[in-house]
Amino acid sequence: MLIEILAAGSAAPQNAFGFWEAMQQGGVIAWSVLAILTIMSVSSFYILFSKLFEQNKVMKQGDAMRATFWRAGSLKEGAAKLDKNSAYRQIVDDAIKADSDHAKLTDPVEAHDWLHGSIERSQDLIKSKLATGLPWLATVGATSPFIGLFGTVIGIYRALIKIGIAGQASIDAVAGPVGEALIMTALGLGVAVPAVLAYNWLQGRNKRISEQLAAFSNDVLGYMASDGGVKPIAKNAAAAKPAAKPAAPVAKK
């Protein structure tokens, strides 16, 4: 008798209203909503990390440009010091090509306008590449709560049907559908919030990169328009160390 009591006390009660139990009660609709939200979440994090890698790469290219480019004697020499896939080298290469193509124009166009348009077009292509994937993050952040809400509505509807069939609102009759509804709401918010945060963060970083590209493009245009007369000051790779303080005079005895 004592053994039976101890065995009954040690057996853990089975939870009939857990996550998987609620999903099984939801059927095809619940699993479909879960699958859609999972795909949205995985794709959002993939875009987040891939865009971070791409942005960090462009930022490092900017550091390399500021350290070496303007120390060169010409634009071609400076471009040769940059990586072939560098966004900054693309701007320089397009500017050099536009300068050589300007002499081939039969319709007279001012050189400044022609160079400015070519450099701006090159800059826009880089910014467009950096922005790829961000519309999907915005879409996920805007639509995933409503997809979760769809599962919530279905869960509440199923709870009302059970109440109508049972004739009374007992906990065991509505716990499953209501639990499913709350799970769908939580999943929708759990997918939307990281997507919105990632979108705003990546947009801010893209804005800073665009400002750096615009400043570099303006410097290249000024350099070409002045035949090398206007040139930004190259920054030292290492910060200058402060001068050592003079030793305090020794007091005479």
Side-chain angles (χ1 to χ4, degrees), residues 53-239:
F53 175 78
E54 188 175 1
Q55 289 176 344
N56 289 334
K57 185 178 179 180
V58 176
M59 289 179 177
K60 290 180 180 179
Q61 293 171 357
D63 295 336
M65 178 275 299
R66 285 183 286 273
T68 61
F69 183 80
W70 293 113
R71 298 179 184 276
S74 64
L75 291 181
K76 290 185 178 180
E77 293 179 6
K81 295 182 179 181
L82 302 178
D83 185 74
K84 291 183 178 180
N85 297 323
S86 173
Y88 293 88
R89 178 164 181 173
Q90 178 181 335
I91 293 176
V92 177
D93 290 342
D94 291 342
I96 294 175
K97 185 178 183 302
D99 187 35
S100 62
D101 290 342
H102 180 262
K104 303 176 184 178
L105 298 178
T106 57
D107 188 16
V109 178
E110 189 177 353
H112 179 273
D113 294 338
W114 174 257
L115 290 174
H116 182 270
S118 300
I119 294 176
E120 187 175 7
R121 182 168 59 252
S122 178
Q123 182 182 341
D124 290 340
L125 289 175
I126 298 172
K127 291 191 293 184
S128 177
K129 183 179 180 181
L130 289 173
T132 55
L134 297 187
W136 173 251
L137 290 179
T139 302
V140 171
T143 60
S144 55
F146 295 101
I147 296 176
L149 183 61
F150 173 75
T152 301
V153 172
I154 297 300
I156 297 298
Y157 174 71
R158 292 179 62 252
L160 294 176
I161 291 178
K162 282 196 171 185
I163 292 174
I165 294 175
Q168 57 182 355
S170 59
I171 296 297
D172 56 349
V174 300
V178 172
E180 172 202 344
L182 296 177
I183 289 172
M184 293 295 104
T185 302
L187 289 176
L189 294 176
V191 174
V193 172
V196 172
L197 293 177
Y199 174 80
N200 291 330
W201 186 34
L202 294 176
Q203 280 282 59
R205 288 167 62 91
N206 275 349
K207 183 179 179 181
R208 290 194 295 271
I209 293 175
S210 298
E211 292 173 352
Q212 294 174 0
L213 290 173
F216 176 72
S217 299
N218 186 65
D219 291 338
V220 171
L221 182 61
Y223 181 90
M224 298 183 71
S226 62
D227 292 331
V230 177
K231 184 177 180 180
I233 300 175
K235 297 182 179 180
N236 294 328

Side-chain angles (χ1 to χ4, degrees), residues 41-60:
S41 179
V42 172
S43 60
S44 297
F45 279 101
Y46 172 77
I47 292 174
L48 169 62
F49 291 117
S50 62
K51 289 288 108 177
L52 279 177
F53 175 78
E54 188 175 1
Q55 289 176 344
N56 289 334
K57 185 178 179 180
V58 176
M59 289 179 177
K60 290 180 180 179

